[in-house]
Amino acid sequence: MSVHWLLLLLPVAAASGWAAARYSSPRSSAGREPPVDRYLEGVRYLLDDQTDRALQAFIEVVEIDHETFETHLILGRLFRRRGEVDRAIRIHQNLAARPTLTDVQRARATFEMGRDFLLAGVLDRAEAVFRELVDSPSMGVPALEGLRSVYETQRDWVHAVETGLRLKAHGVASEGLRIAHYECELALLELEQDRPDRALSHVDRALGLCPGLSRALLLRAEVAERNGDVALSIRLGREAIERTPALATLVVPKLERLYLNSGLPGATASLEDTLQALASTHKITVASIALMRLYRRTNRLEEALTQLHRILAQRPVPTSGLLEAVRWMKILPAVHTYSSEFAAFEKALMEQLRSQPLYQCTNCGYQGRAHVWQCPSCRRWDTLRGIDLDLDQPPNQTFKTP
Ligand SMILES: [Zn+2]
């Protein structure tokens, strides 16, 4: 059980224990354990992470004392946590229908029902429940957060923006970044429809909310490239990577391609400067390897080998560096006799490289090979960063979100 979950439950538990103590003693004469003792036992089971036993204890408390509001809430949450969402919904529905509840209690029970529907994937019901609560003085903000989750799941970015702005008006500090990403999602949809002007207006709104947001800069770079303005696209790509160096895995291949295909005077020298800055200032392996490839491509073999030595001096040695070393050796005349062995080394290293994750979430630790702007695990935005293994991606990769 996470600490967060315990922190959520304990104040409720304390209040309920007190409530149970107040109301339960006259009913303990039937030979059953008094609810307050059984209740505390349930809390102890929760602390020991024994969910099944805790659940049994709370069921018994509810059987003896039907009026205990907080215990019903805990019971509902426990069922939901175990994946028994139908039972959680029944508990919260019955609870919310009680005529004796205060407005605050009814709002809490209704909100829990909304969370049940959300988890069950019954999004229209979840939306209806949360909408009912958005003006509630006690549950308005959680209900808006619930609504926002519904719209994120549905990828309904227009309503997500609208809900985010309402949350922002309530002073929810992190909302600006989320809304900026919703605007970027809308920009992408416009780009897919080949409407770059409309895309740019969403990008501008994103930058208004989060000045310098790398994703928005990359979208602007995408529009610039489509408009044939390669120099602007390169400048925006460089700005994005300078602001967020850990996105190098995503951006360096694109920059390489843009520079080398640009036909701009001094393109190679500019690329070299950019890669050198990334490799030396930010110690980014993908930039070091791209720099080495650039040296090799331009026949500066001594410099390329020096660069390779630097990469191999890193600890742990990046697999991508080993792969480059093997590729070097393959072209040496002395090893031609062993070309099939070197091909096998190369294949093994490439397989290893392809099985390694490229990105990691800085919030929850999720790892994956594809870059996405919203973590699939913790649902936070803009938390995936390059693990810095290798580019090893096709040269025609674009800035688009997968
Ligand atoms: Zn995450």
Side-chain angles (χ1 to χ4, degrees), residues 361-366 375-380 383-384:
C361 173
T362 53
N363 180 53
C364 72
Y366 163 86
C375 172
S377 175
C378 68
R379 313 301 295 166
R380 290 259 189 117
T383 52
L384 257 64

Side-chain angles (χ1 to χ4, degrees), residues 218-275:
L218 294 177
L219 280 163
R220 265 194 181 168
E222 176 76 23
V223 174
E225 190 191 356
R226 286 187 187 206
N227 291 338
D229 193 344
V230 178
L232 176 61
S233 186
I234 286 174
R235 189 170 62 72
L236 289 165
R238 283 182 61 164
E239 192 181 336
I241 213 169
E242 277 158 18
R243 284 182 180 273
T244 318
L247 286 178
T249 309
L250 180 70
V251 184
V252 165
K254 172 79 174 180
L255 275 180
E256 268 187 294
R257 184 178 65 78
L258 279 174
Y259 271 115
L260 297 176
N261 296 341
S262 69
L264 294 170
T268 305
S270 299
L271 175 61
E272 186 180 338
D273 287 348
T274 303
L275 294 176

Side-chain angles (χ1 to χ4, degrees), residues 6 9 16 59 69 77 142 161 171 187 251 265 269 353-354 374 380 382 394:
L6 283 175
L9 283 179
S16 296
I59 288 172
F69 174 81
R77 284 183 191 159
V161 168
V251 184
L353 207 54
R354 289 198 173 116
Q374 185 178 27
R380 290 259 189 117
D382 215 348

